[in-house]
Amino acid sequence: MAETASVANLRVDYIDRPLGLESTRPRFSWTIEGSGRDLKQVGWRVQVAADEAALGDGPCLWDSGRVESRRSFDVAYGGPNLVSRQRCVWRVSLWLDGAAEPVVSGASAWEMGLLSPDDWAADWIAATPPVEGAGNTPLPAVLMRRKFATLEQPVAARLYVTALGAYEISLNGARVGDAHLAPESTDFRRRALYQTHDVTQLIGVGENVIGALLGDGWYASAFAWKNERGVFGAPPNRLRAQLELTFADGRRETVATDGVWRCAPSPILRSEIYDGEVYDARRELPGWSAKGFDDSGWAPAFPVETLDLPLSSQVSPPIRATLRLKPVSLSQPSPGVFVYDFGQNFAGWARLTAEGPAGTEIQLRFAEILGQDGQLSTENLRGAKVTDTVILAGRGQETFEPHFTYHGFRYVELTGFPGEPTLAALEGVVAHSDCEVTGTLETSSSLIDQIWRNSVWSQRSNLFGVPTDCPQRDERLGWMGDAQVFWDAASYTMDVDAFTRRFLGDVRVAQRRTGGFPDVTPYELRWDGSPGWADAGVILPWTLWRKYGDTGVIDEMWEPMVRWLDWIAANNPDHIWRHKRGVDYGDWLAVDAVKPGDETTPKDLIGTAFWAHDAALMAEMAAASGRPDEAVEYAALRERIGRAFEAEFIRSDGSIGNDSQTSHVLPLRFGLVPDALRQASVERLASDIAKRGNKLSTGFLGTPYLLDALADNGREDVAVGLLLQTEFPSWGYMVSRGATTMWERWNGDTGDVSMNSFNHYAYGAIVGFLYRRLAGIAPAAPGFSAVEIRPLDDPRLDRGGGRYVSVSGPIETSWRRGDDGRFSLDLTLPPNTTGRVRLAARPGQTLLEGGRPFDGAARDETGALTAEVGSGGYRFEVAS
Ligand code: BGC
């Protein structure tokens, strides 16, 4: 009922109350809370003003007036362009169907960032004057502090800060924010991110102090297996910070990094992303960041010339410590060597508590697996030293967490510990980009639930500012292929909208002049254009738009996406992607491959299938974003590629390419198989799976779509069989071997150690299928304003369901098969959405809702019973 509804989750650019927004035409979204059936919005009005009072009786910056529309997201701001630092307050009024009076939301606010380089008064400062050739050795971290006084209490205080390196910053001794490893990884030659903090509460009248700890971070760590340092140029340990105090009369004072800052050595002797941190607690200076500390012996900071480096505001969730884990066991495989097992592979670090004489040196090493002898096995970490060293100050019980490094591990080895450690001496700290969890799932199969959990843990471990391939070895790079295959799953499990938008900003700056999208972002490997990898430049924006309904991402990426498609077309006039396929990884790590990139499926087939897919997605995105001509153009391109694909790869008996599983999966999923041959193709795929003993043979590119290709073409039975398989190669095999995260290789337990991560999310892509076909929740329109509810029905599974918090509100399903075999589904759809339910049924069966025959039930082409519903709670049953 309309009276009981309220407006919730007011978001600007899909972010809750952002500071430092940069879009001058942001987009609004909201959800409606209420439990009535068929609750829907028929009109909205957005008001934006400088303060809350003005929302009541103006003047507004923008007042949309009443707009007759059901749209509750992707509503673009229509006022005058916004300017740096501008604070905006907004609210929305909604008219619900059948209600005369609008429901009015509370006020929400956002604030603009520093939009122009001229807004930065702060110098870059360093603790030492620049030295030629520096930047090639890890530097000790430094302390920096700056005193300042205020005569009056400011009404607002904002701290804008970034570094060439990584920083932790405090005001009057209190840590500002809870981000780790800021600023996150970018191509620092082209852009860096700054963070905006509201520090109003931390400023006092009289003396105040800003303190910063500054280490190497991503900027200065050696990169990947090349072990190159200083790839970004200027020496590290440079800070740029600007504190702006606004007083009641509107006056603004700025305290910025300059030559007045003072510097001293810190207890961190070395810190490095891959290698770890060395911390000497004897060098701690208690109270150094608080008021009243005597810094007269500290050296002045040096303002340093730093090339014009574009700074962008970080509005994506920071890397945070989100969970603490207790170890599950402790062993001593050899005298003085203690090994902790956390029972879970994850990314983060360990928190150590110890007591001992000053100078005691304790070492922590990290690994994903143990050898036969119970010792750490670290060969798969390659060049990464992943070692933290702590030197005790001898001040009683001391606790240590590293500042500027992270590790991917399940086991920690402790040596040099004074005495015998207990389990309580170590805790695991789980860290990652703190994207909100939006999806959960549960079935009657504990195996499938564990596959889902493993994928979620690999997702947690690999959202580290950018989407990384792995968190442990000397790599941890933004591999585009891995992200692309995983993003359907990722965007169910977590709200990755802002996270991905930030990453796509890096993709844009990394795009080659020719139009090639990179294979890895942001790090410069100079590899680009590989099918299934570079295509992430199109697939990620499309995935965001489908999941979050935001056409802003299409606008941001449109021109780069066009250039990418133009580049493929320019090199491949006959519409088969034969030329310029970059490094051409193919169906990477497929089961039959001896070497990772072996051609187990023809690579021109893979490339052409992805090109067709790109063209189809471009046509859809063009239509959605007000580009009708381009929609026609890309649909025509898709047609041409489709015809060429068919002529080149598909034969009249339904065989495709070399008849590998991936040869069928990609064209089936991308709609490239003519209707008349679909069944033949699916049967070939199914029979290859059967021949192998109900086993898959796919690699990175085929696997994500394998189960859909089967289930969408009438072979749900084979799809479920693959899911429940526990012999090699399968997801279940990993679980049967004790995996707690997804493995990089199907044969992680026996594969080549030089490339064998146990925490790689790519094969976790299958979780997208689990949400769509086991929870049964899929978008039927962008942003889930229409939902397809289509749980599959298989006698081996008696129960399933899930919950997904969409931008339209939470969607919930729970289904079971009763003792009598009767299939029932509980469904809740949020206000302002519609649903199309499709439940498998035998001839003669009927659809009940709430115990009564459902009016309007129909059958689709597969024989499934269908029902169109509005919002609210439903109980469906398939009855005989
Ligand atoms: C990474 C991958 C990546 C691949 C490219 C590997 O080293 O870990 O996951 O996609 O290289 O071929």
Side-chain angles (χ1 to χ4, degrees):
M1 251 173 297
E3 286 80 356
T4 61
S6 57
V7 194
N9 304 318
L10 269 68
R11 288 173 168 231
V12 176
D13 274 3
Y14 298 71
I15 309 155
D16 198 15
R17 295 173 186 275
L19 280 184
L21 203 71
E22 286 191 334
S23 22
T24 53
R25 309 208 83 69
R27 288 164 202 254
F28 302 105
S29 67
W30 55 82
T31 58
I32 305 167
E33 280 180 0
S35 55
R37 272 211 182 168
D38 268 333
L39 203 58
K40 52 178 173 272
Q41 161 195 318
V42 293
W44 55 260
R45 175 189 182 194
V46 169
Q47 290 166 286
V48 180
D51 56 49
E52 226 170 296
L55 288 176
D57 42 16
C60 279
L61 278 168
W62 182 53
D63 184 342
S64 67
R66 176 170 168 162
V67 178
E68 301 307 312
S69 163
R70 278 191 66 173
R71 183 179 284 207
S72 62
F73 48 80
D74 206 27
V75 168
Y77 165 78
N81 273 355
L82 300 168
V83 297
S84 293
R85 306 181 181 82
Q86 190 166 359
R87 186 176 160 74
C88 300
V89 177
W90 71 289
R91 75 175 182 193
V92 57
S93 308
L94 299 185
W95 286 267
L96 299 174
D97 197 13
E101 291 302 314
V103 185
V104 183
S105 75
S108 187
W110 83 88
E111 193 174 287
M112 300 302 290
L114 303 179
L115 305 183
S116 151
D118 298 339
D119 290 318
W120 285 89
D123 293 325
W124 286 98
I125 57 167
T128 46
V131 182
E132 246 343 274
N136 291 325
T137 43
L139 293 179
V142 292
L143 303 177
M144 292 181 157
R145 78 193 295 275
R146 165 75 145 90
K147 285 188 278 205
F148 65 96
T150 49
L151 298 173
E152 216 185 302
Q153 189 66 38
V155 291
R158 297 288 180 270
L159 179 62
Y160 305 94
V161 54
T162 189
L164 296 184
Y167 72 86
E168 284 180 8
I169 201 155
S170 61
L171 252 162
N172 296 324
R175 169 100 194 257
V176 174
D178 52 4
H180 286 272
L181 284 161
E184 297 168 354
S185 155
T186 54
D187 182 342
F188 288 94
R189 294 164 312 170
R190 296 180 166 123
R191 72 172 195 146
L193 302 178
Y194 69 89
Q195 292 72 42
T196 309
H197 301 281
D198 179 351
V199 292
T200 316
Q201 302 307 322
L202 297 177
I203 307 278
V205 176
E207 187 191 324
N208 289 275
V209 181
I210 315 180
L213 169 66
L214 193 57
D216 280 0
W218 270 283
Y219 178 81
S221 286
F223 252 117
W225 62 86
K226 291 178 165 184
N227 203 25
E228 251 179 293
R229 281 178 197 281
V231 284
F232 299 122
N237 284 4
R238 296 181 174 195
L239 182 72
R240 195 179 205 195
Q242 183 158 314
L243 172 68
E244 298 187 352
L245 309 175
T246 308
F247 297 94
D249 60 2
R251 200 165 31 91
R252 197 166 64 219
E253 276 177 20
T254 302
V255 182
T257 37
D258 57 20
V260 180
W261 285 60
R262 304 186 78 80
C263 309
S266 83
I268 299 177
L269 303 181
R270 215 180 55 217
S271 64
E272 219 273 355
I273 296 285
Y274 299 102
D275 287 351
E277 187 160 304
V278 181
Y279 187 89
D280 185 347
R282 293 171 300 184
R283 297 160 62 109
E284 283 174 355
L285 297 173
W288 70 272
S289 61
K291 284 187 273 199
F293 179 85
D294 176 13
D295 64 10
S296 55
W298 289 30
F302 295 85
V304 277
E305 212 37 62
T306 299
L307 283 184
D308 271 346
L309 173 66
L311 298 180
S312 305
S313 175
Q314 178 175 346
V315 285
S316 53
I319 295 168
R320 290 198 177 99
T322 60
L323 275 175
R324 294 261 188 99
L325 300 182
K326 302 251 181 260
V328 294
S329 71
L330 170 57
S331 61
Q332 194 176 172
S334 54
V337 176
F338 299 94
V339 174
Y340 287 75
D341 177 4
F342 283 93
Q344 174 64 54
N345 200 11
F346 65 99
W349 48 84
R351 180 182 163 91
L352 168 74
T353 304
E355 189 172 342
T360 307
E361 198 172 310
I362 305 172
Q363 224 180 47
L364 297 90
R365 293 198 311 134
F366 302 80
E368 293 185 294
I369 46 168
L370 297 182
Q372 295 292 345
D373 54 1
Q375 305 273 7
L376 297 197
S377 167
T378 56
E379 285 125 292
N380 70 328
L381 309 181
R382 301 195 306 220
K385 296 198 181 68
V386 289
T387 304
D388 292 341
T389 304
V390 191
I391 301 163
L392 298 182
R395 279 195 283 265
Q397 212 174 63
E398 298 174 59
T399 299
F400 165 85
E401 278 182 52
H403 304 76
F404 302 129
T405 189
Y406 78 102
H407 317 294
F409 64 102
R410 169 174 168 170
Y411 302 96
V412 183
E413 175 202 89
L414 209 56
T415 49
F417 191 89
E420 182 121 339
T422 63
L423 267 185
L426 217 60
E427 270 186 314
V429 181
V430 178
H432 53 96
S433 293
D434 192 12
C435 299
E436 194 184 318
V437 173
T438 47
T440 50
L441 181 111
E442 213 190 326
T443 70
S444 53
S445 158
S446 56
L447 174 63
I448 292 177
D449 291 1
Q450 186 63 34
I451 292 171
W452 172 75
R453 261 195 302 279
N454 287 2
S455 172
V456 173
W457 272 104
S458 283
Q459 177 164 350
R460 268 193 201 116
S461 311
N462 283 297
L463 302 190
F464 252 84
V466 298
T468 62
D469 56 336
C470 58
Q472 73 296 79
R473 67 179 177 225
D474 56 359
E475 191 150 358
R476 313 186 199 180
L477 299 178
W479 280 101
M480 301 268 281
D482 306 43
Q484 175 274 110
V485 300
F486 187 61
W487 235 234
D488 175 40
S491 53
Y492 270 114
T493 296
M494 293 181 196
D495 175 357
V496 292
D497 187 59
F499 176 86
T500 317
R501 299 282 281 273
R502 169 268 207 251
F503 180 61
L504 289 172
D506 301 304
V507 172
R508 283 196 295 278
V509 298
Q511 188 175 23
R512 305 294 182 260
R513 253 195 302 269
T514 53
F517 276 130
D519 296 350
V520 181
T521 309
Y523 179 52
E524 178 87 41
L525 281 177
R526 286 183 204 88
W527 295 342
D528 66 350
S530 297
W533 268 253
D535 297 301
V538 174
I539 297 171
L540 296 185
W542 179 84
T543 306
L544 290 199
W545 163 62
R546 289 294 296 174
K547 286 282 171 34
Y548 306 117
D550 181 2
T551 55
V553 69
I554 302 176
D555 294 341
E556 283 165 16
M557 289 299 290
W558 186 256
E559 205 250 279
M561 294 192 295
V562 168
R563 287 174 51 217
W564 165 240
L565 274 116
D566 285 351
W567 180 75
I568 308 174
N571 289 299
N572 297 285
D574 68 349
H575 297 105
I576 299 296
W577 191 349
R578 300 180 201 279
H579 310 291
K580 299 273 183 194
R581 291 200 305 259
V583 182
D584 210 11
Y585 314 96
D587 196 18
W588 188 249
L589 292 174
V591 174
D592 298 341
V594 179
K595 290 194 299 321
D598 280 353
E599 192 164 22
T600 51
T601 294
K603 291 188 177 180
D604 50 358
L605 178 153
I606 291 177
T608 309
F610 272 94
W611 186 13
H613 188 46
D614 284 352
L617 305 188
M618 290 296 281
E620 281 185 45
M621 289 191 278
S625 62
R627 297 178 167 89
D629 296 346
E630 288 94 328
V632 173
E633 197 185 297
Y634 282 109
L637 173 65
R638 165 65 184 74
E639 272 304 305
R640 285 194 294 275
I641 304 169
R643 276 199 301 275
F645 186 95
E646 194 183 327
E648 183 87 5
F649 302 113
I650 306 184
R651 290 169 291 273
S652 56
D653 59 355
S655 63
I656 303 180
N658 65 349
D659 245 4
S660 68
Q661 292 181 15
T662 295
S663 289
H664 288 276
V665 168
L666 295 179
L668 280 169
R669 185 64 178 162
F670 297 159
L672 290 162
V673 184
D675 286 344
L677 293 176
R678 273 186 97 75
Q679 225 36 57
S681 162
V682 179
E683 289 318 320
R684 282 178 173 271
L685 171 61
S687 84
D688 187 75
I689 293 168
K691 247 193 342 247
R692 291 169 182 263
N694 296 324
K695 287 171 188 167
L696 53 73
S697 71
T698 50
F700 268 34
L701 298 182
T703 302
Y705 308 113
L706 171 62
L707 302 193
D708 290 286
L710 291 161
D712 284 350
N713 294 290
R715 297 309 304 263
E716 287 96 336
D717 57 327
V718 182
V720 173
L722 290 174
L723 263 181
L724 295 175
Q725 176 63 265
T726 53
E727 283 175 19
F728 170 82
S730 65
W731 296 275
Y733 177 70
M734 301 182 196
V735 173
S736 77
R737 298 276 142 162
T740 59
T741 39
M742 282 289 159
W743 293 353
E744 175 175 25
R745 292 171 174 267
W746 293 118
N747 62 343
D749 53 342
T750 58
D752 174 7
V753 288
S754 71
M755 210 195 73
N756 200 1
S757 146
F758 292 91
N759 202 352
H760 237 70
Y761 55 44
Y763 288 144
I766 212 56
V767 153
F769 176 85
L770 301 185
Y771 284 111
R772 277 181 277 107
R773 298 307 308 279
L774 288 191
I777 301 172
F784 291 81
S785 59
V787 189
E788 183 175 75
I789 302 102
R790 194 182 165 205
L792 59 72
D793 183 11
D794 184 281
R796 288 162 287 183
L797 301 171
D798 335 304
R799 194 166 47 75
R803 178 180 154 91
Y804 173 63
V805 182
S806 74
V807 290
S808 298
I811 301 161
E812 271 179 50
T813 59
S814 168
W815 57 263
R816 63 187 62 243
R817 195 186 327 283
D819 295 339
D820 54 356
R822 197 186 254 210
F823 188 91
S824 66
L825 164 73
D826 290 307
L827 166 69
T828 309
L829 289 177
N832 211 28
T833 60
T834 57
R836 177 159 209 245
V837 181
R838 283 167 80 174
L839 301 178
R842 289 190 301 278
Q845 288 187 308
T846 55
L847 191 65
L848 307 183
E849 197 282 309
R852 272 185 290 249
F854 183 77
D855 234 9
R859 287 209 181 242
D860 71 5
E861 63 291 348
T862 68
L865 283 163
T866 65
E868 309 282 343
V869 293
S871 67
Y874 299 85
R875 167 152 250 246
F876 288 103
E877 278 171 285
V878 177
S880 294

